[in-house]
Amino acid sequence: MNSRLNSADMPVPDARAESAARARQQQLTKPPGSLGRLEELACWFAARSGNPTPDIAHVEIFVFAADHGVAVRGVSAFPQSVTGQMVANFAGGGAAINVLATLGDCPIEVVDVGVAGDAELRARSAMKRFGPARGTSSQKRQ
């Protein structure tokens, strides 16, 4: 017996739920489109659940952080040192995402996938480390 799902097992998107979700997006107190892809994803989820305002039983938040070597060329809004500080703030519970996680009663996991910043700051924070290196090299220097 094949336990894998096929397309016949997938729920058919509910066009009414999707349409109602899109209409609801336009009524929220925010500039239209300001949440970017998240708005489209919310409508997609509404269509698949058949509910314009679906309930989500279990939520987890993952924050992945890394630096790119090209940042040393001044192309980023902030220097690489800020990334380590922000990641430590996330891991320490002091960022806006932590407030949302608390309000939603969901765990938050901060994952270092290549932060180049202060090693001591990174070591003091409660984050998982999976990066193969501390940041990447700048393609300009390679």
Side-chain angles (χ1 to χ4, degrees), residues 21-43:
R22 289 196 190 286
R24 183 174 183 273
Q25 289 290 331
Q26 299 305 313
Q27 296 172 349
L28 297 175
T29 306
K30 62 173 185 55
S34 63
L35 298 178
R37 179 101 168 89
L38 187 57
E39 292 178 21
E40 186 176 324
L41 184 60
C43 295

Side-chain angles (χ1 to χ4, degrees), residues 12-23:
V12 176
D14 182 331
R16 284 186 227 189
E18 183 174 11
S19 179
R22 289 196 190 286

Side-chain angles (χ1 to χ4, degrees), residues 61 63 90 95-102 108:
I61 297 173
V63 176
F90 296 145
I97 191 67
N98 300 100
V99 174
L100 294 174
T102 300
I108 183 168

Side-chain angles (χ1 to χ4, degrees), residues 63 84-99 102 108-110 121-122 124-127:
V63 176
Q85 295 167 0
M86 291 180 69
V87 167
N89 195 32
F90 296 145
I97 191 67
N98 300 100
V99 174
T102 300
I108 183 168
E109 188 76 47
V110 181
L121 186 62
R122 292 167 58 232
R124 288 194 317 254
S125 66
M127 68 179 133

